[in-house]
Amino acid sequence: MSTCGRTISSIQNATHIILIVATVASLCTGPAFAQSQTASQIRKQQEALIWTTDYEGLVDGKIGEGTLAAIKKFQARIGHPATGQLTSLEEGQLLQEGRARRTQAGFRQLTDNEAGVSVGIPLGLVQGPTETKWGNHWYSKKNGLLVETLRFGTEVSLKDLFDRLLKINDRKVAYQRFVENTWFVIAAFEGKAAVYVRADVVTPPNQPSEIRGFSVWMSKDRPAEYQAIPPAMLSSFRSNTDRKNDASSNETVGSAPPTVVNPPPVVIQTSKSAVSVLDCYKGLGDCPAAMTPAPVAAFK
């Protein structure tokens, strides 16, 4: 399993997601079957498996141990032999179920010019967006879900921000990963509520470096299907570009392949300057929920 695969697995565990145990496939027909599929077809299967909560990895168009294990889990769940090979009927059922769950969540790729990111948002579960100083904010107290895009200047280093987020509100960190001056991921609990943060360092042409990312809050009473939201958002996340036609973007799960599967990414043009997080460090002014020193009332 790749480093990204291990990362995603740990993140899913952090939000009460049952880990898929990646096993070495012992299928003599597995490689030939994998070679007969296009990358676009595999991406659609992976994304559907995320929404059925059978897969915890990235949508990358490659058949690896994690994808094989997810297919087996799906097959076992629907009462079929766990071969790791999808029949045409099984694939149809998988794509239909994934499409239905994604549609129910209203998951759609959005480009946020305030934050300078492109990411999928579960619009069927939240209201908004409401523009903030640091990006945009989608929220539903009823559904116990809050999503924010984040954009900060680098008056504070990425490592300093990472350390601060680990310590706020007595969080119990279930997973953390920091890649020096590049990106970080944090998955943690505040009580039984879950918080997930991803942030990247971005250096736009002829501009100072910035920190861009997103955060997700999920209430203690979140339904099991919410476990699909963090990996779906992570697979769709672009910190400086918007790529329209991949399986983690606006393409509908199960639809015909797009004309251009992997078009060149389009650089997101931000409409305003990045804000400083120093006031948040001092407890002054409005701050993102992930940096709030007291629990959000909706998630108590």
Side-chain angles (χ1 to χ4, degrees):
M1 186 183 291
S2 68
T3 300
C4 284
R6 291 193 297 271
T7 299
I8 301 297
S9 297
S10 301
I11 294 168
Q12 301 315 310
N13 186 48
T15 51
H16 282 312
I17 297 172
I18 300 173
L19 288 175
I20 300 170
V21 179
T23 57
V24 177
S26 57
L27 300 172
C28 61
T29 56
F33 178 74
Q35 291 172 8
S36 70
Q37 300 182 93
T38 65
S40 178
Q41 183 180 9
I42 295 169
R43 284 197 301 271
K44 290 177 185 179
Q45 292 173 5
Q46 290 172 324
E47 186 180 26
L49 288 163
I50 283 176
W51 286 105
T52 60
T53 69
D54 294 306
Y55 180 55
E56 61 213 27
L58 286 173
V59 175
D60 60 6
K62 300 176 182 178
I63 292 288
E65 292 177 5
T67 302
L68 285 171
I71 291 171
K72 289 182 180 182
K73 184 178 179 182
F74 170 76
Q75 290 172 319
R77 183 166 55 78
I78 64 175
H80 290 191
T83 64
Q85 290 187 101
L86 289 171
T87 66
S88 60
L89 289 177
E90 288 172 341
E91 183 182 36
Q93 183 174 344
L94 168 64
L95 296 180
Q96 182 178 17
E97 184 179 343
R99 179 170 58 247
R101 293 196 182 191
R102 173 175 163 155
T103 299
Q104 185 177 18
F107 192 76
R108 210 177 101 199
Q109 190 88 7
L110 296 180
T111 299
D112 185 341
N113 292 104
E114 281 73 36
V117 302
S118 178
V119 66
I121 306 290
L123 296 174
L125 302 173
V126 291
Q127 297 177 343
T130 299
E131 187 174 339
T132 65
K133 294 184 297 183
W134 50 84
N136 276 286
H137 168 111
W138 293 261
Y139 173 69
S140 172
K141 183 173 182 178
K142 176 183 177 182
N143 293 322
L145 185 63
L146 184 155
V147 176
E148 292 186 291
T149 52
L150 309 172
R151 182 178 175 218
F152 302 118
T154 51
E155 300 90 351
V156 174
S157 70
L158 187 72
K159 182 62 164 63
D160 193 31
L161 178 62
F162 174 76
D163 291 340
R164 179 63 61 101
L165 288 171
L166 291 177
K167 298 173 183 176
I168 287 177
N169 211 27
D170 296 324
R171 288 176 177 158
K172 294 183 179 178
V173 177
Y175 178 81
Q176 56 177 290
R177 185 169 182 206
F178 178 84
V179 177
E180 185 66 33
N181 203 37
T182 304
W183 59 271
F184 70 71
V185 171
I186 295 172
F189 294 106
E190 292 189 4
K192 293 184 179 180
V195 59
Y196 172 95
V197 184
R198 166 68 190 260
D200 293 7
V201 168
V202 174
T203 305
N206 304 315
Q207 295 182 39
S209 295
E210 301 175 355
I211 298 172
R212 301 181 185 180
F214 69 87
S215 64
V216 182
W217 283 74
M218 294 185 281
S219 75
K220 63 183 178 63
D221 299 318
R222 60 193 175 276
E225 56 265 28
Y226 276 25
Q227 69 189 56
I229 294 172
M233 290 186 66
L234 186 59
S235 281
S236 71
F237 178 62
R238 319 275 184 249
S239 61
N240 192 34
T241 58
D242 186 5
R243 179 171 290 162
K244 299 291 186 182
N245 296 321
D246 61 12
S248 300
S249 187
N250 290 325
E251 180 186 353
T252 302
V253 175
S255 67
T259 302
V260 180
V261 176
N262 288 305
V266 178
V267 176
I268 297 171
Q269 299 297 322
T270 52
S271 57
K272 60 184 180 182
S273 299
V275 301
S276 172
V277 297
L278 293 178
D279 284 347
C280 294
Y281 275 48
K282 300 172 185 177
L284 303 173
D286 294 331
C287 295
M291 296 190 67
T292 303
V296 176
F299 300 102
K300 286 184 179 179

